[in-house]
Amino acid sequence: MTMANHSADCELCSGDGGEILLRAERFRVVLVDDAQYPGFCRVIWHDHVKEMTDLPVADRSTLMAAVCKVESVVRAVMQPEKINLASLGNMTPHLHWHVIPRYPDDAHFPSPVWAESQRQPAPASLAQRQALLGALRSAISEQF
Amino acid sequence: MTMANHSADCELCSGDGGEILLRAERFRVVLVDDAQYPGFCRVIWHDHVKEMTDLPVADRSTLMAAVCKVESVVRAVMQPEKINLASLGNMTPHLHWHVIPRYPDDAHFPSPVWAESQRQPAPASLAQRQALLGALRSAISEQF
């Protein structure tokens, strides 16, 4: 990694950003440690790039193909009601995609996960989703 | 549009979802009427499809190329600090992408726009951004 592609004070340059599920040449897939959202993954571009349109077109395709592959695996394993995809980066302007499985009984549904909490999810629901993480880890490494 | 691609109770099947900036064969680009976020656009797939991975791969590319084209135009015209991209659809499960120009002095920065408000944006800042909407309308129709 050249210095041009690395920012000294960026947490996604200095750290993995979660539990590594897969490390590809240009990006990595991590599992986010969020007790309310088991199965929440991120696809993080290795280089310090701010926006999708700062990438060459071929790299945008590589990244979105990876995001879609993660979406497919999360849907198959976690069986969510809906997938939420987002690339925000206001606080960490290093290109990364959130892939979030959403359920009608989760903490914020139908609001975005960044909105005010709607409820405390039932511990049994969370435990059931947590129990799928082993399968999710395996499926991500098999699919890429 | 066949009935299979249309949902009777979906607001993005029955309505445009905003001021039409561009109508292409498979998708449209609309300007969102949000006084706090001048330049907030959405790219809406015409067919009633729930998730990105419900689309054939070629259609995903068509849609993301459009999202990136809108991002480019919004960056060029609106000069935001950051672009936020999101496909959520928890309330309206009809594939649509938010393309949101973000500024350090906007109502929620650096939080997502769905989070608790951080401040009341200065009227002068909003007026300055509103004044760019004519140029944004022209640039979107020229770029597609």
Side-chain angles (χ1 to χ4, degrees):
Chain A
M1 193 179 283
T2 65
M3 288 307 288
N5 293 328
H6 189 275
S7 173
D9 58 353
C10 171
E11 63 178 283
L12 294 180
C13 286
S14 57
D16 288 337
E19 177 196 330
I20 295 279
L21 299 182
L22 178 116
R23 193 184 294 274
E25 191 189 344
R26 309 298 306 277
F27 62 85
R28 57 196 184 268
V29 180
V30 307
L31 186 62
V32 176
D33 182 21
D34 183 331
Q36 293 200 313
Y37 288 98
F40 182 164
C41 294
R42 288 196 188 107
V43 183
I44 304 169
W45 196 249
H46 290 323
D47 284 353
H48 189 79
V49 170
K50 190 170 179 178
E51 308 282 10
M52 276 297 276
T53 51
D54 289 330
L55 288 180
V57 170
D59 286 346
R60 297 177 201 169
S61 298
T62 298
L63 179 53
M64 285 313 296
V67 170
C68 286
K69 203 174 270 193
V70 172
E71 173 178 305
S72 290
V73 173
V74 170
R75 290 180 76 182
V77 175
M78 304 297 299
Q79 299 282 319
E81 171 65 24
K82 188 71 189 69
I83 290 284
N84 288 178
L85 300 179
S87 169
L88 308 176
N90 305 320
M91 284 190 267
T92 307
H94 175 135
L95 193 55
H96 61 283
W97 280 90
H98 305 278
V99 181
I100 314 171
R102 302 298 310 276
Y103 304 85
D105 67 348
D106 75 27
H108 303 83
F109 201 90
S111 299
V113 301
W114 305 281
E116 201 180 339
S117 181
Q118 301 287 313
R119 68 191 66 83
Q120 189 64 36
S125 292
L126 292 176
Q128 198 174 26
R129 288 164 207 159
Q130 284 282 350
L132 299 171
L133 296 183
L136 183 64
R137 288 182 181 94
S138 303
I140 292 281
S141 41
E142 280 160 20
Q143 287 300 310
F144 277 86
Chain B
M1 193 179 281
T2 66
M3 289 307 289
N5 293 327
H6 189 276
S7 173
D9 58 353
C10 171
E11 63 178 285
L12 294 181
C13 286
S14 57
D16 287 337
E19 176 196 331
I20 296 279
L21 299 183
L22 178 117
R23 194 184 294 274
E25 190 190 345
R26 310 299 305 278
F27 62 85
R28 57 196 184 268
V29 180
V30 307
L31 186 62
V32 177
D33 182 21
D34 184 331
Q36 292 199 314
Y37 288 98
F40 183 164
C41 294
R42 288 195 188 108
V43 184
I44 304 170
W45 195 248
H46 291 324
D47 285 353
H48 188 79
V49 170
K50 190 170 179 179
E51 307 281 10
M52 276 297 277
T53 52
D54 290 330
L55 289 181
V57 170
D59 287 346
R60 297 177 202 170
S61 297
T62 298
L63 179 52
M64 285 314 297
V67 170
C68 285
K69 203 173 270 193
V70 172
E71 173 178 305
S72 289
V73 173
V74 170
R75 290 180 76 182
V77 174
M78 305 296 299
Q79 298 283 320
E81 170 65 25
K82 188 71 190 68
I83 290 286
N84 288 178
L85 300 178
S87 170
L88 308 175
N90 305 321
M91 286 190 264
T92 307
H94 175 135
L95 194 55
H96 61 281
W97 281 90
H98 305 279
V99 181
I100 315 170
R102 302 297 313 276
Y103 304 86
D105 66 348
D106 74 28
H108 303 83
F109 201 90
S111 299
V113 300
W114 306 281
E116 201 180 342
S117 181
Q118 302 285 314
R119 68 191 67 80
Q120 190 64 36
S125 292
L126 292 176
Q128 196 174 27
R129 286 163 209 160
Q130 285 282 350
L132 298 170
L133 296 184
L136 183 65
R137 288 182 181 95
S138 305
I140 291 280
S141 41
E142 281 160 19
Q143 286 300 309
F144 277 86

